[in-house]
Amino acid sequence: MSNESSDLDSLRERIDQVTLEMARLIIERSKIVGQIGSVKQRLGMPVDDQAREARLRAKVAESCQNADDVTLASRLLNFLLTESVRAQSEHAGIGQSHMSVFAEAQKLEAEGRQIIHMEVGEPDSAPVSAVADALASACSEGYTKYGSALGLDELRDAIARRESARGCSVERENVIVTTGARFAVYLTIGSLLDAGDEIVVIEPAWPAYADCAMRSGIKVHRIHTTLESGWEPGVSEIESVITPNTKMLVLNYPNNPTGKVLPEKLLAEIMDVAAHHSLYVLSDEIYSAYSDSGFKSALEFGYDRTIVTQSLSKSHAMTGFRIGYAIAAPPIVSKLAKLQSLCIVSPPSPIQYAALAALGANPPDTPGIMPKRLDAMISNAGRLEFQKPDGAMYLFARLPRGLDCHSIVSECLRQGLAVAPGSGFGNYPDFVRLSACQDIPTLVRGMNIINSVTAPS
Ligand code: PMP
């Protein structure tokens, strides 16, 4: 045997030993994760502890010999921490969200109960009639085949015109049609980031950003904003969590759940930070139709790593059609298309024709009526505390002191009202999200229920 092949054998023996030792340590670590999770649960502590994670990260960095090692060790640490948070959250039964309450409410309805739905954001109007006509024609005329993973060209053009009309320069090449904005978010995170990368999410936030990231082994840095600070994130806080492994910042304005729209100056400063660190900016602008004139799209900053996700769900009352899109630079669009092709081949063809018809007609005026509904809720908000939303379709409200969202959500459901727990949007156990997607008398009945459930005993 040559020297080289005996060297290879001994190197392989060593790498096997190291790998087996790592596997043993990872299993041992996961047992400790479970034990810590149980103790935290008994003590009523949250799963996520970013300060502790930061201390561990610093210790790991100290134990490394050079910057490349720090980056590598930090990626591995991200993977381990993400797994720990996921395991402890599952163990603690964390995961009650607006969607799980919706599922519970539907179950009760199937048993014959009447439930007021203030947990999900689903416009109560119907799509314009042109949508059903276009869907029927698409089927009868045979537009029922597989299509391009990028979406139908005519629809991409119509979307480009829609976005350009808002003042952003968008062409067909910048557009990918997706099955809802939710899938656009998944495609963006899944195709641009890898396991061990890091993403920054400003909370309270729609839970899918963190869920998508964690599912792919991506570490989530959560920026906790408060009612007292008007739900505005600190620029220096965002900067402080960025490391060489941080690849993306998520923005969502008008925000779900708070309805906040950031002041333009603050948005500009955040975009500057993202550009300075070459981060992708995922700006989910699905509620842009539900905002006053203060809203500015992230596209308007002209930063080439920006991905805007959009949908016809809320703007055109087409939630069940599952049709949305993303806008980005062509190289990013083709990465998203590759993953979309892998997952679903193409968005459903007949639905795309229906979406084309929707974009060619005047949409239902749900955005126009939303402020009046929110005002009605605000006038009947009892002891709830909140900031008046700038847009979207929700009130994110703090419960009176000492009350916890889980017990209030359960009690409201018992009394026929479904509301979303604040804990589904970050560390907000004393908040609930109330959706304004009902007529005003129904909303007032819902507010009366929550007022009686939260009244002093
Ligand atoms: N983004 C946000 C902020 C949302 O609130 C929602 C749905 N509630 C979505 C995206 C998903 O929208 P779609 O129905 O287009 O998947």
Side-chain angles (χ1 to χ4, degrees):
M1 196 157 54
S2 72
N3 274 354
E4 284 214 303
S5 65
S6 88
D7 281 355
L8 180 61
D9 284 346
S10 70
L11 284 171
R12 282 182 166 163
E13 204 173 302
R14 259 179 59 208
I15 203 168
D16 284 359
Q17 277 167 4
V18 170
T19 307
L20 289 172
E21 181 63 2
M22 282 170 69
R24 190 187 64 72
L25 288 171
I26 286 173
I27 291 163
E28 187 180 330
R29 187 180 191 283
S30 89
K31 285 187 186 138
I32 304 173
V33 164
Q35 289 163 355
I36 293 178
S38 303
V39 177
K40 279 184 183 167
Q41 206 181 354
R42 280 199 296 280
L43 296 177
M45 290 169 66
V47 166
D48 223 15
D49 185 343
Q50 303 216 25
R52 228 199 82 73
E53 284 187 11
R55 287 196 296 277
L56 182 58
R57 190 181 299 282
K59 276 192 213 164
V60 168
E62 252 174 56
S63 73
C64 294
Q65 309 213 319
N66 57 47
D68 285 348
D69 289 356
V70 173
T71 305
L72 179 64
S74 189
R75 288 175 67 84
L76 185 63
L77 182 65
N78 287 341
F79 176 74
L80 293 173
L81 292 174
T82 302
E83 280 303 300
S84 309
V85 169
R86 201 159 62 169
Q88 290 186 356
S89 301
E90 275 168 20
H91 178 76
I94 294 173
Q96 190 192 32
S97 66
H98 59 294
M99 292 313 284
S100 66
V101 175
F102 182 46
E104 258 182 89
Q106 284 179 313
K107 221 164 108 195
L108 291 173
E109 283 176 324
E111 291 163 11
R113 294 274 315 278
Q114 293 246 324
I115 303 289
I116 298 175
H117 286 278
M118 290 174 72
E119 80 285 37
V120 280
E122 178 151 35
D124 49 327
S125 40
V128 292
S129 57
V131 168
D133 296 344
L135 188 58
S137 317
C139 294
S140 61
E141 288 166 25
Y143 296 123
T144 51
K145 308 290 186 198
Y146 290 136
S148 157
L150 289 161
L152 202 66
D153 280 347
E154 299 95 296
L155 180 56
R156 294 170 75 203
D157 287 342
I159 291 167
R161 284 196 298 276
R162 180 189 197 210
E163 294 298 326
S164 300
R166 296 187 215 260
C168 310
S169 157
V170 174
E171 315 230 346
R172 179 195 292 178
E173 289 68 29
N174 301 113
V175 179
I176 174 171
V177 180
T178 60
T179 47
R182 186 180 275 270
F183 198 50
V185 165
Y186 176 79
L187 294 176
T188 302
I189 294 175
S191 63
L192 300 178
L193 272 59
D194 294 312
D197 284 344
E198 297 165 24
I199 189 168
V200 182
V201 175
I202 300 164
E203 290 187 338
W206 185 54
Y209 314 122
D211 288 349
C212 281
M214 285 171 63
R215 178 145 292 283
S216 306
I218 294 156
K219 158 88 190 123
V220 181
H221 286 292
R222 298 166 194 272
I223 305 288
H224 184 87
T225 64
T226 63
L227 176 60
E228 284 66 30
S229 64
W231 303 121
E232 289 183 13
V235 176
S236 54
E237 197 187 344
I238 294 176
E239 279 223 91
S240 73
V241 300
I242 295 172
T243 78
N245 287 325
T246 311
K247 300 289 161 58
M248 187 178 282
L249 167 70
V250 182
L251 301 176
N252 169 223
Y253 300 101
N255 177 262
N256 174 5
T258 62
K260 175 79 181 175
V261 172
L262 287 189
E264 194 175 322
K265 181 167 171 289
L266 177 56
L267 181 60
E269 284 169 8
I270 294 173
M271 292 298 291
D272 273 354
V273 168
H276 180 72
H277 293 276
S278 301
L279 305 184
Y280 289 111
V281 175
L282 163 54
S283 182
D284 182 355
E285 300 181 359
I286 174 171
Y287 294 104
S288 60
Y290 292 80
S291 66
D292 59 18
S293 51
F295 170 74
K296 186 173 166 102
S297 169
L299 289 175
E300 291 182 47
F301 293 88
Y303 174 48
D304 62 356
R305 290 184 158 233
T306 303
I307 305 95
V308 163
T309 49
Q310 266 289 5
S311 170
L312 275 69
S313 283
K314 317 286 173 172
S315 58
H316 291 72
M318 290 177 70
T319 45
F321 285 74
R322 313 306 305 122
I323 190 87
Y325 56 91
I327 309 282
I332 296 179
V333 166
S334 56
K335 284 188 183 174
L336 269 60
K338 254 191 184 164
L339 185 56
Q340 174 145 274
S341 167
L342 173 71
C343 296
I344 59 162
V345 180
S346 62
S349 303
I351 300 290
Q352 293 191 72
Y353 284 100
L356 191 55
L359 290 181
N362 283 330
D365 189 28
T366 336
I369 55 180
M370 213 45 82
K372 296 184 198 86
R373 292 175 168 187
L374 287 166
D375 281 347
M377 288 162 67
I378 289 170
S379 313
N380 289 278
R383 299 198 303 142
L384 300 175
E385 289 180 314
F386 48 85
Q387 191 190 41
K388 188 172 191 275
D390 304 314
M393 43 175 70
Y394 310 105
L395 210 56
F396 195 55
R398 183 154 53 205
L399 297 164
R401 191 178 289 276
L403 295 181
D404 159 81
C405 66
H406 294 287
S407 52
I408 295 301
V409 167
S410 304
E411 189 48 37
C412 282
L413 208 48
R414 253 193 298 280
Q415 301 204 19
L417 171 67
V419 300
S423 58
F425 303 91
N427 187 17
Y428 301 91
D430 47 347
F431 280 79
V432 287
R433 188 195 71 177
L434 306 167
S435 147
C437 296
Q438 303 287 335
D439 59 32
I440 289 179
T442 311
L443 291 174
V444 172
R445 275 194 288 127
M447 297 308 287
N448 289 342
I449 295 177
I450 195 158
N451 288 338
S452 82
V453 168
T454 57
S457 46

